[in-house]
Amino acid sequence: MGSPDKDQSKGFFATMTSGLSMFGNAMHRSINGLLGYEGLEVINPEGGKEDAEEEAHKGRWREEERDSYWKMMQKYIGMDVTSMVTLPVLIFEPMTMLQKMAELMEYPHLLDKADECEDPYMRLVYATSWAISVYYAYQRTWKPFNPILGETYEMVNHGGITFISEQVSHHPPMSAGHAENEHFTYDVTSKLKTKFLGNSLDVYPVGRTRVVLKKDGVVLDLVPPPTKVNNLIFGRTWVDSPGEMIMTNLTTGDKAVLYFQPCGWFGAGRYEVDGYVYNAAEEPKILMTGKWNEGMSYQPCDMEGEPLPGTELKEVWRVAPAPENDKFQYTHFAHKINSFDTAPKKLLASDSRLRPDRYALEKGDLIKAGTEKSNLEERQRAEKRSREAKGHQFAPRWFDVTDEVTPTPWGDLEIYRYNGKYTDHRAAIDSSDSIDGVDFQSMEFNPWQYGNLSKE
């Protein structure tokens, strides 16, 4: 039997915890009562303590739009809404998912350093910092356009990289990407899975990301944390990615495990990332700490995970300055991705930059953007009918489907492999003496493989 003091202590803390829980539940109900909808969490992730009613009514929706959209979306609660819901363009950004995939290439020098590094644990420090760096861009609350089947995105003129991504499947929506420079290759198959929860959306990154460091042939595998989009309809929309990021060196067995702290009340813990680089025996070698919206640092540690005497915390990555008051919260690199400055000679007509809905939204014409988006979606349905009438199956140009199915924490994934044809395509163009004098902005977007349906 425990001592009276111990039992009393347990009773005190149990009572205190229960009281805090009751207070939190009462506060939650109070805020939601102001909205008139139960179960919809509304908080301020920036740490402010404004009046709850004022905070609840912040956001991009007008009240009449918000109420009608809420009534329409209620039937989808608990469902995967990746491609089954038609969304208004007012919540979109002028970028597609294929372009968003390229944002991971903003800091390629980190992978270059990982390739040059002799220390196997520092390789993982550089590589995981590269993987974390994209989350500053991922905090944007605007939705990218879903790519049209066969749509592509190409990028050059950045860090010596050649990047190509392609929409390889429409149902389910799947994309594949490949990037390469003299130090590394990067390959990804991505199939987002979502769960609509009313005023929030869980996003599960069903995918496989592999990086090969060329000098030693080291293969790195990345499993990112899930993402949660909060306050979709009511309140200030914000994004969080609580959970573990694991990067494994498949060649040696070493790995990095980093924990993204969840955002607490009034922003407590938001952005914070902590963890360790472990050897193959799962012994900690280097501790890592930082914030995904600021930078990451590292320090050698002992077997208990404590910093080694005589060492100091060193910064490995810091986020680049971003434009102030940017409408879509774009980084300078995001603007480069959208521009033709990073487009290669003889850009493919299927490139995302050429989408008329994306371009109209970029210019601020929401009505035209909505009309063009609807037109593209109808053309995609028309192509599907044409393809099925001929008994044909869609085949991507730059990636081949394989027999490999890999498990992920959120479901099995069919793997697409880069087939090398784009490398040959670019080499032939780059070696040509012809000068590309095409005005990119006059090019017509054309991802269609079964007859040019762009004018139907």
Side-chain angles (χ1 to χ4, degrees), residues 144-378:
F145 286 94
N146 288 338
I148 298 295
L149 186 63
E151 183 175 333
T152 58
Y153 176 74
E154 304 174 79
M155 182 178 71
V156 295
N157 303 328
H158 177 76
I161 291 169
T162 298
F163 178 93
I164 177 69
S165 56
E166 182 176 13
Q167 190 72 358
V168 295
S169 171
H170 183 56
H171 288 298
M174 293 182 67
S175 309
H178 175 83
E180 188 167 357
N181 71 1
E182 62 178 323
H183 290 286
F184 67 86
T185 61
Y186 157 86
D187 289 280
V188 62
T189 300
S190 175
K191 181 178 71 173
L192 290 182
K193 182 179 180 181
T194 64
K195 187 175 183 180
F196 180 62
L197 299 172
N199 201 34
S200 64
L201 182 74
D202 286 347
V203 182
Y204 306 105
V206 182
R208 189 180 77 174
T209 300
R210 292 278 172 86
V211 174
V212 177
L213 303 178
K214 290 187 173 181
K215 186 173 73 171
D216 294 330
V218 167
V219 180
L220 305 177
D221 179 82
L222 174 67
V223 179
T227 293
K228 191 178 189 73
V229 185
N230 302 274
N231 299 343
L232 278 172
I233 303 171
F234 301 96
R236 179 185 298 168
T237 307
W238 58 284
V239 177
D240 200 19
S241 297
E244 283 186 341
M245 170 184 282
I246 302 174
M247 179 171 279
T248 305
N249 184 330
L250 298 180
T251 307
T252 65
D254 304 329
K255 65 180 177 181
V257 181
L258 300 175
Y259 184 68
F260 285 55
Q261 301 290 341
C263 177
W265 279 96
F266 303 117
R270 193 183 185 206
Y271 310 117
E272 294 179 7
V273 182
D274 302 284
Y276 293 93
V277 174
Y278 299 90
N279 64 13
E282 298 190 351
E283 300 166 334
K285 291 296 182 179
I286 299 177
L287 67 85
M288 296 183 67
T289 186
K291 293 186 175 183
W292 52 259
N293 70 326
E294 293 181 3
M296 291 297 296
S297 299
Y298 69 95
Q299 188 171 3
C301 66
D302 60 23
M303 295 283 286
E304 303 301 320
E306 297 297 324
L308 286 176
T311 65
E312 61 182 13
L313 201 63
K314 293 183 179 180
E315 187 173 84
V316 65
W317 161 77
R318 177 154 291 275
V319 68
E324 294 184 5
N325 302 317
D326 191 88
K327 179 179 180 181
F328 294 102
Q329 302 168 296
Y330 274 9
T331 62
H332 289 293
F333 183 59
H335 283 291
K336 283 183 66 176
I337 285 174
N338 253 353
S339 77
F340 291 98
D341 294 340
T342 53
K345 289 195 304 181
K346 294 188 177 179
L347 181 70
L348 294 170
S350 50
D351 194 88
S352 296
R353 297 178 186 86
L354 303 175
R355 284 182 61 140
D357 52 354
R358 188 212 65 79
Y359 184 72
L361 182 60
E362 187 175 40
K363 297 302 180 184
D365 191 338
L366 268 68
I367 294 176
K368 184 175 182 181
T371 300
E372 295 288 3
K373 177 175 175 289
S374 297
N375 289 342
L376 285 178
E377 290 166 351
E378 178 50 43

